[in-house]
Amino acid sequence: MGSNEVPTLFVIPTLDEAATVAKVVTGVLDAGADVLVVDDGSSDDTCDIVEALALGREGVHLMQRGRKLGLGSAYRDGFRWGLRRGYGALGEMDADLSHDPADVPHLMAGIRMADLAIGSRYVAGGGVVDWPLSRRLLSRGGNAYVRACTGLPVRDATAGFRLYRRTVLEQIDLDAVRSEGYAFQIEMALLTHRLGLEILEVPITFTERQVGQSKMSRRIVAEALWRVPGWGLRGRR
């Protein structure tokens, strides 16, 4: 890491990601950031692969939680871990290569200009690869719903590829953020915005995972649908 760069940690939740985790971790390290893999009880070789990478390179860390506790919980635990160790910027991304590690430097550049840099599919230069029309409509419609309910001026509030300055996370009560999945991403962006902090959307191309199983479920979508109006009402008060 260069002397002018902020010490950066990317938190990467995993559950049976042995096919891709090495490429993701190596890509993030090559971009100049450290990695904390938060594993929720993988039954494959995910943890063994991460431990082997840690023996060969500095900056690789593993948190084994033993059972599935949820995406938002993984990020909360990972952020707390990174804050205790003095990282100046803390990010999140998927382990399935849907988020390209080659875009990590773009987020790291973005955080020099803003408090939260979001890897966005829905700004000029961004996009999605290998999604069916139904998934595209769901994602775009969900983001329009967030903007309408809350006034959050972000095109891709559900994006899970992002980087926060530590000062943002220090101002947010992570213990009070109980949502998971898409709702966690929305809530964190909304809290950042309502603190009066700067959010920058950095264009990225999201590629649907080619191996393994998607963790997206109806429950994740439903949670976002019912939580968002409440956040909007509280903001208006």
Side-chain angles (χ1 to χ4, degrees), residues 176-207:
V177 180
R178 305 309 304 166
S179 49
E180 300 290 339
Y182 291 149
F184 176 81
Q185 313 297 5
I186 297 164
E187 185 175 7
M188 290 292 289
L190 189 57
L191 289 169
T192 301
H193 173 64
R194 287 179 175 171
L195 285 167
L197 302 175
E198 185 73 20
I199 300 174
L200 174 68
E201 292 189 81
V202 177
I204 59 118
T205 298
F206 179 98
T207 303

Side-chain angles (χ1 to χ4, degrees), residues 222-236:
E223 182 196 23
L225 287 173
W226 72 261
R227 284 189 184 272
V228 165
W231 293 332
L233 286 172
R234 284 198 293 275
R236 290 185 177 93

Side-chain angles (χ1 to χ4, degrees), residues 2 4 31 35 40 47-48 59 80 93 118 120 123 125 132 134-135 149 165 176 178 180-181 205 216-218 235:
N4 294 324
V35 172
D40 271 8
C47 292
D48 292 337
R80 293 186 191 103
M93 65 186 295
I118 295 177
S120 178
V123 293
S134 60
R135 186 80 183 272
C149 288
R165 288 185 183 175
R178 305 309 304 166
E180 300 290 339
T205 298
M216 226 274 284
S217 68
R218 291 180 181 177

Side-chain angles (χ1 to χ4, degrees), residues 36 50 54 62 106 213:
L36 172 65
V50 175
L62 175 64
H106 302 147
Q213 199 164 14

Side-chain angles (χ1 to χ4, degrees), residues 57-189:
R57 296 189 65 171
E58 293 184 359
V60 182
H61 309 280
L62 175 64
M63 178 188 296
Q64 297 187 65
R65 305 199 302 170
R67 60 190 177 92
K68 190 172 181 179
L69 297 172
L71 187 70
S73 170
Y75 285 131
R76 288 190 294 271
D77 284 352
F79 289 157
R80 293 186 191 103
W81 187 97
L83 289 170
R84 288 195 301 269
R85 285 157 180 80
Y87 286 95
L90 298 98
E92 51 181 84
M93 65 186 295
D94 293 345
D96 58 9
L97 289 174
S98 56
H99 299 145
D100 188 349
D103 286 322
V104 166
H106 302 147
L107 291 184
M108 292 173 70
I111 209 68
R112 299 188 196 111
M113 299 178 282
D115 300 288
L116 166 58
I118 295 177
S120 178
R121 298 161 288 190
Y122 303 132
V123 293
V128 175
V129 175
D130 292 336
W131 261 11
L133 179 61
S134 60
R135 186 80 183 272
R136 291 173 185 262
L137 291 174
L138 175 65
S139 180
R140 283 192 174 274
N143 276 288
Y145 176 70
V146 171
R147 290 193 299 276
C149 288
T150 67
L152 178 65
V154 172
R155 303 295 301 176
D156 198 355
T158 60
F161 191 17
R162 52 178 68 186
L163 185 60
Y164 298 87
R165 288 185 183 175
R166 72 171 290 125
T167 50
V168 177
L169 300 177
E170 288 172 335
Q171 292 179 71
I172 292 173
D173 181 3
L174 291 174
D175 291 332
V177 180
R178 305 309 304 166
S179 49
E180 300 290 339
Y182 291 149
F184 176 81
Q185 313 297 5
I186 297 164
E187 185 175 7
M188 290 292 289

